[in-house]
Amino acid sequence: MMDNVVGGKSSLTWLTHISVVLLVAVWLIPTIGLLVSSFRERDQISESGWWLAPFPVELTARGRTAAEAERDGDIFVVTGNIYDDAEAASYFPGGGGDVVAFGTRGVDPTEFDAGTVAELDDGETLRVEADGSYRWTTPEDPGDRGQRIYFAAQSPPEFTLANYGQVLSADNMDRAFINTLTVTVPATVIPILIAAFAAYALAWMDFPGRGLLIALVVGLLVVPLQLALVPMLDLHNRIGIGQGFLGIWFAHTAFGMPLAVYLIRNYMAGLPRDIIECAKVDGANDFELFVRIVLPLSLPALAAFSIFQFLWTWNDLLVAKVFLPSDDASKVMTVKIADDLLGSRGGDWGILATAAFVSIAVPIGVFFALQRFFVRGLLAGSVK
């Protein structure tokens, strides 16, 4: 009943709190999953979700029995432990757990339960116990080749820093980091400088065709950048830029310019007109208005676009593949990770998760650093 009273708390406050918690969870849960996966083994990632990381994982592996047989009447007996085989042990770096099932065919690796005697062809039998010990009997001397065994075993949870070591110690990864900074910083600063001047002109200067230019900027927002990749690269080759850092700076500037002009122009157009008119009465020209009044008051919009542009260029893969040479000295981190660490199929999820966290370290730092500029910009625009 206090909803309409000044200072009273709304009865929908609980709904707001629940909505905020849900939104935070939607963004935070995948990040936590990526972090947990970055410390797990590739095989364990493939078998279970990150939320099951503290629990044992059932992995399917294969190996061979020993070949040394002992004669027992009319049969030959081979005994041993499957974990003594190098191939089988390679599936369990932290040590194998209890065997739950086994088989002799890759199409059905869990055909028999552990501890049961499997009747094979030609009078052979095979039994694999839960601890990995086996007993294989055959009517003929096995010679120097053991019996192939497929099995499923519980693998204890294992967390490792090997993924981070592999990513950070990759050849020329330090060079790729420097190349990423070389691309990202100018590709963030250049469009902001150009867009700020253009946004001021579209917001506060009267000239013929201004409305048409604003409509053109809005229209460019919906043009996919993929359509311009080949024509722009062809243009770079014609004017002598080719593939290189200068070309990718121009490319990122061109692709980011429509959104930059649109965001900053809308923010500048919302500034108090009285301040602009008073400055003009005092004799300030457009350049002085832009530098001394409009630009400081527009700092929140500039900082917001800076964050977006920095994240886009830092995490970019497609534009870097098109406008940078393919040699190792020119690769940025995204290209280095995609080409040299993940391979053509990109199935190494542990390396992918680790590389993601390594690559987002700098953008996270930039984001939190620019939070201060948001606050300072808002304060500068709220007081005279």
Side-chain angles (χ1 to χ4, degrees), residues 302-325:
L302 297 175
F305 178 75
S306 298
I307 292 176
F308 294 144
Q309 183 71 1
F310 190 93
L311 294 178
W312 291 332
T313 53
W314 183 273
N315 296 321
D316 168 70
L317 175 63
L318 178 60
V319 177
K321 293 280 285 186
V322 174
F323 291 95
L324 285 179

Side-chain angles (χ1 to χ4, degrees), residues 184-209:
T184 303
V185 174
T188 302
V189 175
I190 294 174
I192 290 177
L193 292 177
I194 300 175
F197 282 98
Y200 174 80
L202 294 175
W204 292 105
M205 297 179 65
D206 294 326
F207 56 89

Side-chain angles (χ1 to χ4, degrees), residues 328-344:
D328 204 51
S330 302
K331 289 181 178 179
V332 296
M333 290 187 65
T334 52
V335 178
K336 179 71 175 178
I337 293 170
D339 290 353
D340 298 345
L341 295 181
L342 299 184
S344 60

Side-chain angles (χ1 to χ4, degrees), residues 36-351:
V36 173
S37 298
S38 67
F39 292 99
R40 301 184 70 196
E41 294 286 344
R42 179 180 61 182
D43 294 335
Q44 294 194 354
I45 294 175
S46 302
E47 292 296 330
S48 67
W50 62 268
W51 56 90
L52 298 176
F55 305 101
V57 178
E58 185 176 304
L59 297 181
T60 302
R62 67 179 185 179
R64 283 190 181 276
T65 66
E68 297 79 8
E70 296 182 359
R71 191 176 185 91
D72 184 9
D74 296 334
I75 62 174
F76 294 86
V77 180
V78 178
T79 59
N81 194 291
I82 191 61
Y83 291 122
D84 294 335
D85 181 69
E87 182 182 11
S90 65
Y91 289 89
F92 306 92
D98 293 338
V99 176
V100 295
F102 68 96
T104 57
R105 300 179 301 163
V107 295
D108 192 5
T110 58
E111 184 176 2
F112 308 102
D113 294 332
T116 61
V117 178
E119 300 290 340
L120 307 182
D121 297 335
D122 300 328
E124 298 181 1
T125 64
L126 175 65
R127 184 179 75 247
V128 180
E129 303 292 347
D131 61 355
S133 60
Y134 57 81
R135 187 177 188 274
W136 172 41
T137 64
T138 175
E140 299 180 358
D141 189 343
D144 58 353
R145 187 174 180 84
Q147 170 67 41
R148 171 68 75 183
I149 298 179
Y150 298 88
F151 64 98
Q154 294 288 337
S155 176
E158 182 177 358
F159 299 94
T160 177
L161 293 175
N163 295 334
Y164 284 91
Q166 183 176 349
V167 172
L168 295 176
S169 63
D171 293 338
N172 290 327
M173 180 59 74
D174 54 345
R175 180 65 183 177
F177 179 82
I178 296 175
N179 290 341
T180 306
L181 285 177
T182 304
V183 170
T184 303
V185 174
T188 302
V189 175
I190 294 174
I192 290 177
L193 292 177
I194 300 175
F197 282 98
Y200 174 80
L202 294 175
W204 292 105
M205 297 179 65
D206 294 326
F207 56 89
R210 187 179 71 164
L212 181 62
L213 287 178
I214 295 175
L216 180 62
V217 170
V218 175
L220 289 175
L221 290 174
V222 299
V223 177
L225 66 88
Q226 291 84 354
L227 296 178
L229 291 177
V230 175
M232 185 173 290
L233 180 61
D234 182 66
L235 175 63
H236 288 182
N237 292 330
R238 289 177 181 272
I239 63 179
I241 297 178
Q243 291 181 313
F245 291 115
L246 184 61
I248 198 172
W249 293 342
F250 287 161
H252 280 302
T253 299
F255 296 144
M257 190 65 64
L259 180 61
V261 174
Y262 178 75
L263 289 178
I264 300 174
R265 182 264 169 192
N266 287 346
Y267 191 90
M268 289 183 176
L271 296 176
R273 180 174 295 271
D274 294 341
I275 298 178
I276 307 298
E277 292 178 350
C278 290
K280 289 182 178 180
V281 170
D282 291 338
N285 56 33
D286 286 317
F287 184 77
E288 291 174 337
L289 281 173
F290 173 74
V291 174
R292 297 185 180 182
I293 297 178
V294 176
L295 198 61
L297 295 179
S298 302
L299 193 58
L302 297 175
F305 178 75
S306 298
I307 292 176
F308 294 144
Q309 183 71 1
F310 190 93
L311 294 178
W312 291 332
T313 53
W314 183 273
N315 296 321
D316 168 70
L317 175 63
L318 178 60
V319 177
K321 293 280 285 186
V322 174
F323 291 95
L324 285 179
S326 58
D327 61 284
D328 204 51
S330 302
K331 289 181 178 179
V332 296
M333 290 187 65
T334 52
V335 178
K336 179 71 175 178
I337 293 170
D339 290 353
D340 298 345
L341 295 181
L342 299 184
S344 60
R345 298 184 179 181
D348 199 339
W349 297 108
I351 296 299

